[in-house]
Amino acid sequence: MIELPQGFRAHVANVGIKDDSDDFVIIASDRPCHASGVFTKSLFSGASVIISRDHLRDGRAQAVVVVSKNANVATGEVGRANARELASRVATTLGCSPRDVVVASTGVIGRQYPMDRIRAHLDVLPRPTGTDAELAARAIMTTDTHPKVVTANVAGSSARVVGIAKGVGMIEPDMATMLAFVFTDAEIAFDELDIRFRRAVDDSFNCVSVDTDTSTSDTAVVFANGAAGAVDPEALEVALRDVTLKLTKMIARDGEGATKMLEVVVDGARDTAQAKRVAKAIVNSPLVKTAVHGADPNWGRVAMAIGKCSEQSDIDQERVVIRFGDQELYPVAVGADGLERLTKYLRGEHVTISVSLGVADGRCTVYGCDLSEGYIRINADYTT
């Protein structure tokens, strides 16, 4: 069991949205926290995103409540009123302001919360007492195959960082991605926390893609309650990056229908932005993803993906190098023995594609997965 950091408690329950598993989570601190969040830029942002973005404007929060299997997106003023009621009712139980409660939802778009069931549970809602982060991670799952929870220690202190996340489909971040909640008992000023969390998110959650589709509910929030005392901000950032990157890799490996994790490394770019642009083009290409799924060492599909970044006019194909694993495929051709080794490599569970652009020293690594028949089946039957 991975326990939450000191001062945090969880309540996990089934309120009747899912038939056979928990679907309602509260994680609360026993004291106010510094908190920072990043959210989807989708024009169809859900009520939870709209309200939570507003609640975090002052840089503080004390709890998060998550409703799973219902996104509460495209539900109008009724949906927003329901999300506000949820925050208010949880705040009453905790004895804090409704503005100190973050709300998150995930699941089917266009359906109102089943408020009769939620209210019935809120009427008897106990104060959170649990400490098991894995139970909370399991309860926020939708089509995930396993809970995603990671912990790290903050060097030079007794403070810990614990993160939970869900997300396996509709994953192409635009500011944040999926649902991710990070809790720490470290004491740190809000400005430091905000900067360091956003950097960690940009290098982790913002570098994962399963299917190129940006969610309407993307939310990533960090809570720091200070119970373990002051820490070195640099040490905390290392722990935040460790937790968010490990969660990112879990999401990529658990992509809907995925059989392999795909890691794309681009270096020699003009800057990080160009490296990320090219890497995302590769990891998001259905042709690249299906080649990886079929263990087909077709490096031409990688060249195609690089080439369609046509606005990157300083990329010259004569300077580009493409590798699968540690095997160069372009510009140096591979013989029959090399292709056989590559096919064997591509049958593994973790495939790395590396591209050197030969422009400068920018670098970025992104994470994704292959594209299988399983992805089609899961999403063809999602609401039925």
Side-chain angles (χ1 to χ4, degrees), residues 50-125:
I50 293 168
I51 289 166
S52 295
R53 187 187 287 127
D54 178 57
H55 284 189
L56 286 171
R57 290 189 192 282
D58 62 358
R60 56 173 283 156
Q62 194 162 342
V64 58
V65 54
V66 186
V67 176
S68 179
K69 209 64 175 177
N70 182 306
N72 194 18
V73 170
T75 51
E77 179 52 38
V78 172
R80 290 188 290 275
N82 288 337
R84 285 191 291 267
E85 179 183 344
L86 180 58
S88 179
R89 296 283 298 274
V90 169
T92 297
T93 297
L94 299 177
C96 66
S97 166
R99 292 192 60 83
D100 287 340
V101 177
V102 173
V103 182
S105 301
T106 176
V108 178
I109 291 170
R111 295 179 181 174
Q112 298 287 354
Y113 279 157
M115 289 303 293
D116 55 340
R117 301 176 205 168
I118 291 175
R119 287 183 182 119
H121 186 70
L122 292 172
D123 286 342
V124 295
L125 182 66

Side-chain angles (χ1 to χ4, degrees), residues 34 188-197:
H34 289 313
I188 186 170
F190 168 73
D191 289 347
E192 289 275 9
L193 179 67
D194 184 58
I195 290 170
R196 295 174 189 281
F197 182 61

Side-chain angles (χ1 to χ4, degrees), residues 256-257 290 371-382:
E256 288 178 336
T290 50
L371 180 61
S372 73
E373 298 91 336
Y375 178 87
I376 297 170
R377 180 49 49 210
I378 288 169
N379 287 284
D381 297 339
Y382 188 67

Side-chain angles (χ1 to χ4, degrees), residues 118-381:
I118 291 175
R119 287 183 182 119
H121 186 70
L122 292 172
D123 286 342
V124 295
L125 182 66
R127 289 185 65 85
T129 58
T131 61
D132 189 342
E134 185 173 329
L135 288 179
R138 188 176 298 278
I140 67 174
M141 291 167 39
T142 50
T143 54
D144 305 63
T145 64
H146 59 82
K148 299 169 179 63
V149 56
V150 175
T151 185
N153 296 320
V154 180
S157 75
S158 63
R160 298 171 57 237
V161 176
V162 175
I164 66 172
K166 68 81 52 188
V168 289
M170 201 183 287
I171 301 292
E172 166 59 278
D174 188 2
M175 189 62 165
T177 183
M178 6 61 60
L179 298 185
F181 307 104
V182 179
F183 308 92
T184 180
D185 46 14
E187 180 183 334
I188 186 170
F190 168 73
D191 289 347
E192 289 275 9
L193 179 67
D194 184 58
I195 290 170
R196 295 174 189 281
F197 182 61
R198 289 177 185 275
R199 282 203 296 242
V201 167
D202 201 42
D203 291 341
S204 57
F205 297 145
N206 270 340
C207 287
V208 64
S209 181
V210 169
D211 49 21
T212 81
D213 287 332
T214 297
S215 170
T216 58
S217 303
D218 291 346
T219 299
V221 183
V222 62
F223 301 79
N225 70 9
V231 300
D232 175 14
E234 295 290 342
L236 178 59
E237 183 168 352
V238 169
L240 288 172
R241 286 176 177 270
D242 183 40
V243 167
T244 56
L245 184 57
K246 285 178 178 176
L247 288 172
T248 295
K249 291 181 178 181
M250 288 180 177
I251 289 165
R253 182 62 187 87
D254 197 28
E256 288 178 336
T259 65
K260 304 172 187 180
M261 177 177 163
L262 174 57
E263 184 172 341
V264 178
V265 181
V266 174
D267 60 23
R270 179 179 65 250
D271 50 27
T272 301
Q274 183 182 63
K276 183 179 283 190
R277 170 72 178 89
V278 174
K280 280 292 191 72
I282 296 168
V283 82
N284 282 333
S285 166
L287 290 176
V288 172
K289 292 160 76 71
T290 50
V292 169
H293 179 68
D296 179 9
N298 188 345
W299 61 267
R301 295 183 175 183
V302 177
M304 172 279 301
I306 300 168
K308 70 182 181 181
C309 302
S310 55
E311 76 284 1
Q312 308 294 322
S313 58
D314 53 346
I315 296 176
D316 181 350
Q317 63 176 291
E318 300 299 328
R319 297 199 299 266
V320 171
V321 178
I322 300 172
R323 301 179 183 86
F324 284 8
D326 58 3
Q327 177 65 61
E328 183 175 325
L329 289 144
Y330 174 85
V332 176
V334 177
D337 290 346
L339 288 175
E340 185 176 342
R341 287 195 303 273
L342 278 172
T343 299
K344 182 178 180 179
Y345 169 74
L346 289 171
R347 291 192 182 112
E349 294 184 354
H350 187 143
V351 172
T352 299
I353 296 174
S354 301
V355 172
S356 295
L357 297 179
V359 177
D361 58 0
R363 179 185 179 91
C364 184
T365 302
V366 302
Y367 308 91
C369 58
D370 60 337
L371 180 61
S372 73
E373 298 91 336
Y375 178 87
I376 297 170
R377 180 49 49 210
I378 288 169
N379 287 284
D381 297 339

